[in-house]
Amino acid sequence: MTTSDEAGLGTTAAGAPADDRATPATGPATAADAVRLLTEGELTVRGRIRDASNAALYCTVALDGQEAACVYKPVAGERPLWDFPDGTLAEREVAAYEVSQATGWSLVPPTVLREGPYGEGMCQLWIEVLPESDLLALVDAEEPEPGWKAIGFAEVEEGRTALLVHADDVRLRRLAVLDAVINNADRKGGHLLPADGECLYGIDHGVTFNVENKLRTLLWGWAGETLTDEALDVLRGLREGLGEGGALARRLGELLTPAEVGATRARVEALLASGRHPEPGGEWPAIPWPPV
C-alpha cells in the first residue's frame, strides 16, 4: 500500500493530502447523488490520512463528469479489536449512515460499502471543515457558562485541572441521540466536523452497534435530561423502521448480525420508555481517551 509519504504528498491541517490533483471540480448536489457517485465512480487513491488508527486513504471518485473527494477505509487495513468481530468496522460505518438518514438529521456523511484498489471497504464523502468552531473548550471554572454543558474535569498540567465543556448546541444534542441509538464507543472531539451551511457531521463509526452497552462519548452534557419532542418523534420513526419487515431493519440486516439489529431496536425502545438522555452506566469508561 502506498502511503502519502511514499507518494510524495504532504498533509493539510484537515488531514487530507495536500495535492492539487485531488481538488474536486463538480461535487454531488444531493445525498442520493453522493451515494451513486461513491458506489459507482472510479476511485483513485491520492494519499494516506496519517493520524487514523486504521488504514484510511484520501481519494477522489469520479463518474459522469462529477468528482468528489472521499475517504476509503479498506477492510484489509482494519486492526483487530478484542470486543468487535474482525473485518466488520466498514459495515458498521455504513450502518451508522443508514440510521442517520432514517432520523432525517443527516448527521453522517454519505457512506457506502464498495470494492476499491485494496479490496472491499467503506467509502465516505470527504467533508471540508470550517476553520474555526466553538464546540469544545477547557475552562478554569467549576461550572460551565451559559450556552455550555459540562463534560467533566480533566488534568491539563501536573496538579491543575480544568473543566471540559461542549456547546449547548441542538446539532450536538441530535448527535448525542444518534450515538445512544448506535451505541457509539468512541465519540471524540476530532470526530465532529462543522461544515458550511450550519451543518455538523459525525465521522468514524467503526466501533458501534455492539450488543453490550459501550456508549463512550464527549456529549454527556444532557445526561439524564428529558429528550426533546423532536428527538422523541425521531425515535418513534426509528422504532417503526426497525420493526418486523421495516425498511431500516432490512437494511441493517445486510450489515449487522440479527443480535446487533435486535439490540439497536431495544436501545430505541429504552430511550422512548425513559424519555431521557442516557447516563453513564459505570461498567465502561464513559469518556474516550484521548478526548480529541
Side-chain angles (χ1 to χ4, degrees):
M1 183 179 295
T2 302
T3 68
S4 54
D5 286 336
E6 293 165 340
L9 302 174
T11 303
T12 68
D19 178 13
D20 290 340
R21 297 169 302 167
T23 303
T26 305
T30 67
D33 290 338
V35 167
R36 179 172 178 266
L37 177 60
L38 293 170
T39 303
E40 303 177 15
E42 181 180 358
L43 191 64
T44 302
V45 176
R46 302 296 186 181
R48 186 167 184 172
I49 301 172
R50 298 172 183 170
D51 57 357
S53 56
N54 295 292
L57 304 175
Y58 180 75
C59 305
T60 53
V61 61
L63 178 71
D64 297 337
Q66 282 193 331
E67 187 177 55
C70 62
V71 178
Y72 162 53
K73 296 181 182 179
V75 172
E78 295 178 4
R79 294 190 306 171
L81 299 172
W82 68 269
D83 52 348
F84 284 84
D86 292 350
T88 66
L89 304 191
E91 291 172 315
R92 295 173 194 278
E93 295 237 35
V94 179
Y97 170 68
E98 295 291 345
V99 175
S100 169
Q101 287 301 99
T103 66
W105 287 334
S106 299
L107 295 169
V108 178
T111 311
V112 304
L113 196 68
R114 62 162 291 167
E115 286 293 325
Y118 303 105
E120 186 179 60
M122 180 278 283
C123 192
Q124 184 175 80
L125 190 69
W126 179 267
I127 299 299
E128 292 296 336
V129 180
L130 293 178
E132 295 183 8
S133 63
D134 295 322
L135 297 177
L136 298 167
L138 281 167
V139 296
D140 291 317
E142 295 295 318
E143 297 290 338
E145 295 182 357
W148 294 86
K149 307 290 283 187
I151 303 168
F153 289 94
E155 185 173 340
V156 292
E157 295 176 357
E158 186 174 351
R160 188 173 79 86
T161 60
L163 182 64
L164 182 61
V165 298
H166 66 67
D168 188 1
D169 187 308
V170 64
R171 302 170 302 172
L172 291 180
R173 191 165 190 174
R174 290 169 177 169
L175 197 56
V177 174
L178 176 68
D179 283 343
V181 170
I182 68 177
N183 197 15
N184 193 351
D186 194 31
R187 175 61 72 206
K188 296 179 179 177
H191 300 166
L192 304 173
L193 305 184
D196 286 336
E198 299 297 317
C199 293
L200 177 70
Y201 295 99
I203 61 168
D204 285 349
H205 297 109
V207 286
T208 51
F209 295 101
N210 201 297
V211 295
E212 299 179 6
N213 178 25
K214 292 185 179 291
L215 184 59
R216 189 169 61 165
T217 176
L218 287 180
L219 305 180
W220 287 117
W222 298 281
E225 292 188 17
T226 301
L227 291 164
T228 64
D229 290 341
E230 176 194 46
L232 291 170
D233 285 343
V234 164
L235 289 168
R236 293 185 190 102
L238 291 180
R239 177 171 61 187
E240 180 177 353
L242 288 166
E244 186 175 353
L248 183 58
R250 293 196 304 271
R251 179 63 180 126
L252 293 187
E254 299 170 355
L255 300 163
L256 307 171
T257 67
E260 289 165 344
V261 176
T264 304
R265 185 182 301 113
R267 288 190 295 271
V268 170
E269 292 286 2
L271 287 167
L272 284 169
S274 71
R276 296 182 179 276
H277 286 268
E279 298 181 80
E283 71 276 10
W284 180 256
I287 297 176
W289 194 262
V292 296

